[in-house]
């Protein structure tokens, strides 16, 4: 019964106009306790769907495959009640846009404390715990803010309230889907710092979904790079960003403009990102890949280890370092 | 808050003035005049002319309009030629019956409509949704008078469980209120359905689910209140439309309300009563809209009546 | 011809009402979004405008193209004072064009790419190519890195990056002197963002364009701007060459901004 | 499943269009000896498959011919209301300013005003005709269109592509026609189906109040209203056109739902 | 009896209350007001007030307030002897002064009934005698007075408050009155002929026929009249109900507008009449409540003389029209006002169409109909003309002289006959003269007179002693609820 979440060949199919679309295709990685795993990839690469599959909130009509091992159970196969128990109490989630993700017609206290109330705590106890949670999430004078509505909070405070809400069920794993995308840079830095503090002090496991490499670089211990619904590369953050073992990661890293220096922008990655709906055969990245050859067009590369803990899905990973 | 209500009431006065002027214009443009209709087909032209003068209807329309406005400002709506009584007091005596009918059917419509809409909207596309959607359209597709007469035949004549026409006891209220409520229920149900379905797509519903709530808890605890916001507006706006249904229902069920008074007044070219009734209805509709807005800001804390934030 | 192409002087914009849902009534309280901003853009120069959300960057941009009417202050191009949109002489109207943030909604999804560019040409016949318009269209699309086949597609069918390229093509079609880019790459994926930035850099040189480039991403601005202006709550707090402002910010707000920004390859 | 409404509407169009060629009917001649015969009876002019009315006229023929009148009234009213409503609504929403203020207040007035009163007065007071019924019903029906399109125009005018067109210098009429109007079509069509149903019903209601179409016109509303006193004894007179009406309205409603689901989201309020 | 039952509840058997489901609204209780001639007001007035004379079901007059009346030699001055000991409901005696004041009030109010008495005056010669002075010989005075009701002398010309709960000398007094909705009556304890046996009469407007008849069959209403033929069968098959029809004074009257060029010639009008098979229409549509008319006035009217029936002959009609140069391409406008006559008129139009005469059937709202009627804005006009006075003077004498300008027909000879008939004190002479006038009207086809109307009444069997009234104005004072 380890507190490690293991994704084993996770598959998510969504109904589309022309039949089911495999938006997550055999994704495997794990989230060890007390570790932050960053999940990056461009828009539509299936990051959100992966996170939603973990918490079990896929859109209507979605079907899943593979396995999600959590505390000895396969979350894809447990009954509805167990699934619901896991939600909020064992695995909690923070959503992208804190304004949209908070119910506009309920007070902050009510929303943060809802899970506690459902657990049968009395009012004063709930109130005390909510104040504590808000305090831990870094909301100043939490007791005075209890009866505020979401719209009366600033963006950063809303996200803090979301974090308090997620912590209310005392989860072991926190899923954060683009938690800072809607925020200003200065606020973003503060929220990221907070997330890291909480993760460290509570010993939480965390999945940080983002398309922003800088954010992941700052917070995550490990990264998983997704492209068109598949894992392209995964490994320790420093290794992956410094010595990518997949041309896509390489290109991503190169595309991020530095702030204090003027980089060249010499050879931006050509083409548009592949989507799960029209995923090229073979390696999904091959149309944009500078290393692509015939084999890439026909054969889907397996995820293989290039170093301890460092995995890639590229036939020619070894050549990448040479070309830099 | 008070200031806003006052402001709304002032705008309301403007709107009521507009409504009153509109009806003043329309009834006077319509052919046929009070004197002729009062005296009936047996009258001779001299008598008609005489009565027209007596009623002050020989004056230029503009003069009449100015007098009308001056009277309205003093809340004097004149006397009904037909009934020989102050028009407004006549309208007011009829108001309770119509109010009873309209409020009951609104209550029926809201209770059933919201329930059905909630059931359907919770899972769009499912069986319940299809059944509710189809049956609500069906409900809207029967002419009100036809439904009314059928209900009379079935429940009063054949089953003999309810009185057919007339007013007074709660039993008398059932058939007319149901007749009036049926299409309205359908409207509310359909609107609630759309609204619930839309709300269920909101991110905060996902948040609620991520707390491990059951679907009914999510639906009632998080979706219902937010979905009701547009419903409240429509219910407020629908009062005018309900009045239209009330005219027919009152006719069928001999309900002693405002609707039949208005129909008779229009037929009898009873200008004063038509004007007083319009004025009153416009006022009530405005009031309902104000109440809807107040309710609105209760339902949605983001909306402050006084938006000066 | 004067030294500067665009001259913004003491621009002040206030809004009588905050944008809000339609059921809200207008309020009379005034909100000053831009307060006394002065800004120059020289010929062939790119000026970056940065600042946090709500600091008034977009408002400045919209004032420059004439979509908002300033309370006071002037906007001049080549020494000609510019009024609001629709009241500008055609030549000046087309001299200043804009690329918007959201790639999808800045194109009418029901129009084909050819129609979108055609509309620009129809509006300003001076800038329309003499001779075969189809060939000219294909040339233009090629300039912005699009395939000729895109011409027949509806805007709704294009990807984000393609949309932004079409937006740029539409702007370029009327041969503007100044391109205002309001967060033109913010909504795009990093790899596509890099493509568009590259494209803008190239076009700037080939079309002799001046640019007012707005972004909240300091890294992006640094890649393209010659000079950078920093805004905070409607006021310009700092202005200077790009390297200087970002490497050695003088104003404390700029310092905070640069400090908060994360770099990919520095551990903090 | 999705096709059913289209099939039914096609069937109605066929019956309304071709029916009159196959079945002859003139509302003027009556055949008193054949009055109030149940469906399937043999009457002097053949077999009355759907029975006869109180003047011995064929109900089937009335259903077939009534389809045309009802549909024409529905279409004309909706078209008129749509034209006025869309023009006023888009203009007000796009141009804002005093036009919008006047419209908003005007709509307030008309909403506060019992619509039935307007209809009763117009329909009751002037000489009956299809045109009058259309006018009376349009007098209030346009409001919904104006409200919906105004809302759309209000939100569309803030769209970047409209701004882009303005920056480009595209003239205002062209902006309205090219960049605003096309986007109102979906919701307007969805609303039109709803209004169509309401209009057809309202015509029946007017006939009930005795202020509907002239007697020479054949419409479902007329037939249903004429049969109302025979609901117990000769149910077929109003039940059969009633069913025809209901089936039409249900199918238009379903169609409207489909269209709303496709285009209307968020705009229909 | 049952005293505290709420007026709204359906009357349970055994209670002395009856509920009357009426078609027409009662808008005003003032019999002298502008609407005094309206059916609703007339119905209420005869329950609330007394008249000098009143017609019986066969059209003959009997004394109400008056016990005797006689004209002078020229019939210009009529003397009425009043009944002794009649009291108003408030206990005050009814005197000659009250009668004279009421008459003055009637004249001053200038309602339609007042037009029957142009320049007439009434004086009270004593407490028990009044004298009516006409401006010219008028033999129809007693009949005309059938619509003249007596109120206390103290009532002002306009006195809305009084007529909310009026004081009268009729069999009933008002308990509650909601204009055009309900009128609740209770017996007048002071009624000279003894207070009625029913404890309460509620006259309620029920505009919808189905609701009215259902209420009757479920026992919620006790009396309904004006039942269409098509619904009569159902009532007759209901064992709880008594159904009766009575001949009325009403006649379907379809005037031709003789001032229209197309209809100026009598031959054309006669031909049109001939073209309609009224026999069949009446038999089919009104098997129980109608009969082919044979005079412009109904058989129970004074002045009725049967005329030669017009036989249906479409061929002859067509020939006559062609001979008269009738323009078949022009449409005639036939106007009527009430949906209940729609079928009849449609049948007429159908018959006319058969010989190629095109008719636009215009169903008009009452207000528009009346206006157009008086403005002669029609070619054929349909009306159901009834005659509350039972005297041809009120119909023939009032509507057919040139001066009346009611139908564009003008015939000095007819004027003369009518005027003579109106002023002759000799009843037989009057009937003869009206017969001659009727013949001219009939022959010249001033209008078509297709049907004499019978009113169908249906009432609950628990109601006894109820007599249907020929003018649709039944009297409830004689009725009694069985077992109460
Ligand atoms: N409700 C849905 N129904 C059908 N397809 C969907 C739905 N939501 C997402 N998709 C599709 O699934 C794929 C993966 O989407 P997902 O949201 O996981 O991407 P993402 O990596 O989170 O992208 P982003 O950075 O834009 O959030 C996309 O192609 C998307 O179009
Ligand atoms: N049309 C408008 N009506 C009222 N207020 C407005 C309007 N447009 C902008 N504002 C307000 O003006 C201020 C400046 O807005 P602006 O859009 O210029 O900021 P920005 O710097 O572009 O921000 P962002 O980075 O979020 O785009 C904001 O507070 C905004 O709310
Ligand atoms: Mg996502
Ligand atoms: Mg902006």
């Amino acid at each position: 019964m380890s507190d490690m979440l293991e994704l084993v060949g996770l598959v998510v199919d969504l109904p589309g106009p022309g039949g089911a679309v495999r938006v997550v295709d055999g994704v495997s990685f794990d989230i060890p306790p007390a570790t932050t795993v960053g999940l990056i990839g461009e828009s539509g690469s299936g990051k959100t769907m992966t996170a939603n599959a973990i918490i079990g909130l896929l859109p209507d009509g979605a079907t899943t495959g593979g396995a999600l091992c959590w505390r000895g159970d396969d979350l894809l196969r447990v009954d509805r009640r167990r699934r619901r128990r896991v939600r909020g109490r064992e695995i909690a989630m923070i959503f992208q846009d804190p304004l949209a993700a908070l119910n506009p017609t309920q007070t902050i206290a009510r929303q943060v404390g809802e899970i506690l109330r459902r657990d049968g705590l009395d009012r004063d106890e709930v109130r005390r715990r909510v104040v504590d949670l808000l305090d831990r999430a870094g909301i100043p004078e939490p007791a005075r803010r209890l009866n505020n509505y979401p719209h009366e909070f600033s963006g950063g405070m809303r996200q803090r309230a979301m974090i308090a809400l997620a912590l209310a069920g005392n989860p072991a794993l926190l899923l954060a889907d683009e938690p800072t995308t809607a925020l200003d840079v200065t606020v973003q830095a503060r929220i990221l710092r907070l997330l890291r503090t909480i993760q460290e002090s509570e010993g939480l496991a965390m999945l940080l979904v983002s398309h922003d490499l800088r954010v992941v670089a700052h917070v995550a211990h490990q990264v998983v790079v997704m492209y068109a619904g598949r894992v392209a590369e995964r490994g320790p953050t420093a290794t992956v960003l410094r010595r990518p073992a997949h041309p896509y990661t390489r290109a991503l890293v190169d595309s991020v403009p530095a702030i204090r220096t003027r980089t060249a922008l010499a050879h931006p990655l050509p083409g548009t990102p592949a989507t799960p709906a029209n995923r090229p055969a073979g390696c999904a990245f091959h149309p944009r890949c500078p290393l692509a050859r015939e084999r890439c067009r026909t054969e889907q590369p397996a995820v293989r280890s290039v170093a301890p803990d460092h995995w890639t899905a590229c036939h020619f990973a070894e050549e990448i370092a040479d070309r830099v | 808050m008070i200031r806003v209500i006052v402001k709304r009431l002032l705008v309301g006065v403007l709107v009521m003035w507009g409504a009153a002027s509109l009806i003043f214009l329309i009834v006077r443009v319509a052919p046929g005049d009070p004197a002729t209709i009062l005296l009936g087909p047996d009258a001779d032209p001299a008598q008609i002319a005489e009565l027209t003068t007596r009623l002050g209807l020989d004056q230029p329309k503009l003069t009449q309009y100015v007098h009308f406005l001056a009277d309205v400002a003093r809340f004097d709506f004149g006397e009904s030629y037909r009934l020989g009584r102050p028009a407004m007091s006549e309208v007011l005596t009829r108001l309770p019956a119509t109010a009873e009918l309209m409020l009951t059917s609104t209550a029926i419509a809201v209770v059933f409509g919201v329930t059905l809409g909630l059931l359907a909207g919770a899972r769009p596309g499912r069986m319940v949704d299809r059944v509710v959607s189809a049956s609500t359209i069906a409900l809207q597709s029967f002419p009100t008078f036809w439904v009314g007469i059928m209900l009379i035949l079935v429940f009063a004549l054949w089953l003999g469980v309810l009185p057919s026409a007339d007013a007074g006891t709660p039993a008398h209220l059932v058939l007319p209120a149901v007749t009036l409520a049926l299409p309205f229920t359908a409207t509310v149900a359909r609107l609630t359905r759309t609204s619930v379905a839309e709300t269920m797509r909101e991110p905060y519903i996902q948040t609620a689910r991520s707390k491990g709530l059951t679907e009914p808890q999510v639906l009632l605890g998080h979706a219902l209140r937010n979905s009701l916001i547009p419903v409240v507006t429509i219910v407020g706006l629908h009062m005018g439309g309900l009045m239209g249904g009330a005219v027919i229902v009152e006719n069928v069920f001999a309900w002693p309300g405002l609707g039949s008074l208005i129909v008779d007044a229009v037929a009898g070219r009873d200008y004063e009563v038509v004007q007083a009734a319009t004025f009153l209805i416009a006022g009530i509709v405005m009031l309902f809209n104000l109440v809807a807005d107040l309710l609105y800001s209760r339902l949605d804390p983001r909306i402050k009546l006084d938006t000066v934030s | 011809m004067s030294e500067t192409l665009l001259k913004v002087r003491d621009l002040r914009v206030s809004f009588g009402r905050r944008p809000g849902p339609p059921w809200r009534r207008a309020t009379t309280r005034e909100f000053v979004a831009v307060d006394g901003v002065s800004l120059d853009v020289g010929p062939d120069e790119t000026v970056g405008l940065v600042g946090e959300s709500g600091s008034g960057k977009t408002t400045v941009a919209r004032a420059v193209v004439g979509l908002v009417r300033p309370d006071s202050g002037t906007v001049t191009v080549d020494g000609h004072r510019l009024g609001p949109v629709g009241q500008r002489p055609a030549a000046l109207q087309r001299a200043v064009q804009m690329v918007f943030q959201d790639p999808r909604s800045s194109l009418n999804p029901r129009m084909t790419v050819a129609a979108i560019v055609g509309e620009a040409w129809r509006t300003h016949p001076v800038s329309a190519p003499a001779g075969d318009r189809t060939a000219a269209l294909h040339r233009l699309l090629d300039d912005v890195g699009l395939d000729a086949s895109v011409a027949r597609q509806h805007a709704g069918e294009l990807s984000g990056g393609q949309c932004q390229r079409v937006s740029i093509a539409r702007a370029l079609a009327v041969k503007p002197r100044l391109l205002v880019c309001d967060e033109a790459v913010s909504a795009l994926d990093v790899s596509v963002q890099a493509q568009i930035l590259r494209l803008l850099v190239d076009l700037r040189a080939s079309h002799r364009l001046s640019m007012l480039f707005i972004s909240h991403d300091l890294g992006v601005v640094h890649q393209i701007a010659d000079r950078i202006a920093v805004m905070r709550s409607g006021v310009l707090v700092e202005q200077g060459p790009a390297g200087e402002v970002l490497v050695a910010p003088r104003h404390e707000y700029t310092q905070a901004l640069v400090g908060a920004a994360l770099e990919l390859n520095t551990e903090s | 499943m999705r096709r059913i409404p289209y099939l039914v509407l096609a069937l109605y169009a066929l019956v309304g269009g071709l029916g009159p060629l196959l079945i002859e009917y003139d509302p003027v001649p009556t055949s008193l000896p054949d009055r109030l015969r149940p469906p399937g009876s043999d009457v002097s002019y053949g077999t009355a498959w759907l029975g006869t009315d109180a003047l011995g006229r064929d109900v089937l023929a009335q259903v077939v011919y009534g389809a045309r009148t009802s549909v024409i009234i529905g279409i004309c009213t909706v078209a008129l209301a749509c034209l006025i409503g869309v023009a006023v609504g888009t203009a007000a929403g796009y141009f804002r300013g005093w036009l919008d203020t006047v419209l908003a207040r005007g709509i307030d007035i008309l909403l506060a005003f019992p619509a039935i009163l307007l209809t009763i007065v117009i329909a009751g007071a002037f000489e009956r005709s299809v045109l009058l019924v259309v006018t009376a019903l349009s007098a209030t029906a346009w409001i919904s269109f104006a409200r919906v399109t105004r809302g759309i125009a209000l939100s569309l005018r803030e769209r970047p592509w409209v701004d882009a067109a303005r920056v480009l210098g595209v003239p205002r009429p062209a902006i309205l026609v090219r960049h605003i109007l096309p986007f109102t079509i979906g919701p307007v069509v969805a609303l039109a189906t709803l209004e169509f149903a309401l209009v057809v019903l309202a015509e029946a209601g007017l006939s009930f109040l005795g202020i509907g179409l002239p007697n020479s016109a054949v419409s479902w509303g007329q037939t249903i209203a004429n049969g109302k006193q025979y609901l117990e004894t000769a149910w077929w007179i109003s039940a059969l056109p009633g069913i025809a009406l209901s089936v039409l309205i249900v199918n238009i409603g379903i169609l409207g739902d489909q269209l709303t689901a496709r285009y209307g989201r968020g705009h229909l309020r | 009896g049952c005293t505290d039952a709420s007026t709204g509840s359906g009357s349970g058997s055994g209670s002395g209350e009856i509920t009357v489901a009426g078609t027409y609204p009662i808008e005003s209780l003032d019999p002298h007001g502008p609407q005094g001639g309206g059916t609703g007001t007339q119905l209420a007035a005869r329950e609330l007030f007394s008249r000098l004379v009143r017609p019986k079901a066969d059209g003959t007059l009997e004394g109400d307030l008056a016990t005797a009346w006689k004209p002078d030699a020229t019939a210009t001055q009529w003397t009425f002897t009043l009944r002794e000991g009649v009291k108003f409901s408030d206990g005050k005696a009814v005197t000659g002064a009250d009668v004279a004041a009421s008459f003055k009030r009637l004249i001053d109010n200038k309602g339609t009934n007042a037009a029957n008495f142009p320049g007439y005056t009434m004086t009270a010669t004593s407490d028990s005698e009044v004298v009516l002075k006409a401006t010219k010989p008028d033999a129809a005075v007693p009949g005309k007075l059938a619509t003249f009701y007596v109120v206390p002398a103290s009532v002002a010309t306009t006195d809305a408050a009084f007529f909310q709960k009026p004081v009268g000398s009729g069999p009933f007094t008002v308990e509650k009155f909601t204009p055009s909705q309900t009128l609740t009556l209770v017996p007048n304890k002071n009624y000279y002929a003894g207070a009625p046996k029913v404890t309460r009469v509620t006259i309620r407007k029920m505009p919808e026929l189905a609701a009215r008849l259902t209420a009757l069959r479920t026992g919620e209403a006790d009396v309904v009249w004006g039942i269409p033929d098509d619904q009569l069968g159902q009532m007759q098959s209901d064992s709880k109900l008594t159904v009766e029809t009575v001949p009325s004074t009403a006649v379907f009257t379809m005037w031709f507008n003789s001032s229209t060029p197309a209809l100026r010639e009598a031959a054309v009008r006669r031909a049109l009449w001939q073209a309609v098979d009224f026999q069949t229409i009446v038999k089919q549509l009104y098997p129980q409540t109608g009969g082919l008319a044979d005079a412009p006035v109904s058989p129970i009217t004074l002045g009725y003389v049967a005329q030669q029936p017009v036989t249906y002959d479409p061929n002859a009609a067509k020939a006559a029209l062609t001979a008269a140069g009738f323009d078949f391409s022009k449409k005639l406008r036939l106007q009527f006002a009430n949906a209940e006559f729609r079928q009849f008129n449609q049948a007429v139009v159908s018959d006319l169409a058969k010989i190629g005469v095109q008719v636009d059937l215009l169903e008009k709202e009452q207000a528009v109909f009346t206006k157009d009627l008086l403005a002669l804005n029609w070619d054929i006009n349909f009306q159901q003309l009834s005659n509350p006075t039972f005297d041809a003077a009120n119909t023939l004498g009032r509507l057919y002289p040139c001066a009346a300008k009611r139908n564009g027909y003008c015939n000095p000879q007819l004027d003369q006959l009518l005027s003579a008939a109106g002023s002759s004190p000799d009843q037989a002479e009057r009937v003869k003269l009206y017969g001659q006038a009727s013949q001219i009207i009939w022959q010249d086809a001033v209008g078509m007179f297709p049907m004499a109307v019978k009113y169908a009444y249906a009432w609950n069997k628990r109601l006894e002693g109820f007599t249907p009234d020929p003018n649709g104005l039944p009297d409830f004072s004689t009725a009694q609820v069985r077992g109460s």
Side-chain angles (χ1 to χ4, degrees), chain E residues 160-428:
Chain E
F162 173 84
F163 286 101
Q164 186 55 36
K165 231 174 171 160
V167 169
S169 50
F172 292 95
T173 60
V174 172
E175 184 179 66
K176 188 164 183 296
F177 175 48
T178 313
S180 83
Q181 202 67 48
T182 46
L183 171 64
T184 312
L185 303 171
V186 288
N188 173 9
K189 304 256 160 19
N190 293 328
Y191 186 49
Y192 70 86
K197 301 279 191 336
V198 290
T199 52
R200 183 181 278 116
V201 179
T202 306
I203 305 174
R204 180 180 301 282
K205 179 189 158 198
M206 290 196 181
E208 183 50 40
L209 178 72
R212 216 154 55 224
L213 297 183
T214 302
L216 180 68
R217 288 159 74 190
T218 59
E220 290 165 77
D222 297 294
V223 185
V224 170
W225 64 93
I227 304 168
D229 261 286
D230 288 329
Q231 272 69 33
L232 216 47
Q234 272 170 300
M235 303 299 122
Q236 280 158 333
S237 64
D238 191 325
S239 59
K240 292 196 302 292
L241 301 178
T242 310
V243 177
E244 253 180 50
T245 57
V246 282
S248 78
T249 58
V251 175
F252 280 10
T253 303
M254 300 182 79
W255 284 332
F256 292 112
N257 183 350
S258 302
S259 60
T260 328
L263 301 173
R264 193 166 289 150
E265 282 181 51
V268 170
R269 303 195 294 260
R270 267 198 303 269
L272 290 174
W273 191 349
Q274 240 184 345
V276 184
D277 184 4
F278 283 116
Q279 175 112 36
T280 309
I281 295 176
V282 169
K283 204 177 88 207
Q284 289 289 346
L285 295 180
Y286 298 93
Q288 300 190 61
T289 63
L292 207 57
D294 55 3
V297 293
S298 87
I300 56 169
T301 309
L302 187 145
Y304 163 80
V305 174
Q307 303 296 322
Q308 183 91 34
V310 177
T311 47
Y312 173 55
D313 189 347
N315 296 329
K318 174 127 203 184
L321 286 177
T322 316
F326 182 79
D327 181 0
F328 285 92
S329 68
K330 273 192 93 175
K331 285 192 163 188
L332 298 175
R333 297 163 301 161
L334 164 49
Q335 74 156 5
F336 71 104
N338 197 325
E340 72 179 271
F341 305 121
R342 190 185 297 155
Q343 291 177 10
F344 181 87
N345 283 293
Q346 280 179 319
V348 171
V349 171
S350 165
D351 277 356
L352 287 175
K354 278 186 200 141
I355 61 155
V357 175
Q358 302 177 55
V359 178
D360 247 345
L361 185 59
L362 304 173
E363 181 175 341
K364 293 180 180 171
E365 197 205 13
Q366 190 68 46
V368 182
F369 171 83
T370 310
K371 195 173 172 61
D372 285 346
L373 169 68
L374 299 179
L376 289 177
N377 191 13
W378 42 272
D379 300 319
I380 309 173
N381 176 71
F382 174 91
Q383 251 180 306
Q384 173 175 313
L385 272 184
S386 50
N387 182 355
T389 65
F390 292 85
D391 189 322
N394 190 45
T395 42
L396 301 186
R398 186 168 59 89
L399 300 171
Y400 292 86
C402 300
K405 295 209 184 73
R406 300 306 288 256
N407 43 37
Y409 181 79
C410 180
N411 182 343
Q413 189 196 344
L414 179 63
D415 275 17
Q416 234 164 25
L417 278 170
L418 290 174
S419 135
S423 54
S424 163
D426 175 0
Q427 188 140 326

Side-chain angles (χ1 to χ4, degrees), chain A residues 47-48 96 177-178:
Chain A
K47 309 182 295 291
T48 297
Q96 169 174 4
D177 189 359
E178 317 243 7

Side-chain angles (χ1 to χ4, degrees), chain C residues 15 17-19 31 33 52-59 183:
Chain C
F15 293 106
R17 43 190 256 187
R18 323 279 295 272
F31 175 81
E52 267 185 38
S53 180
S55 55
K57 308 182 295 290
T58 298
T59 309
E183 310 269 13

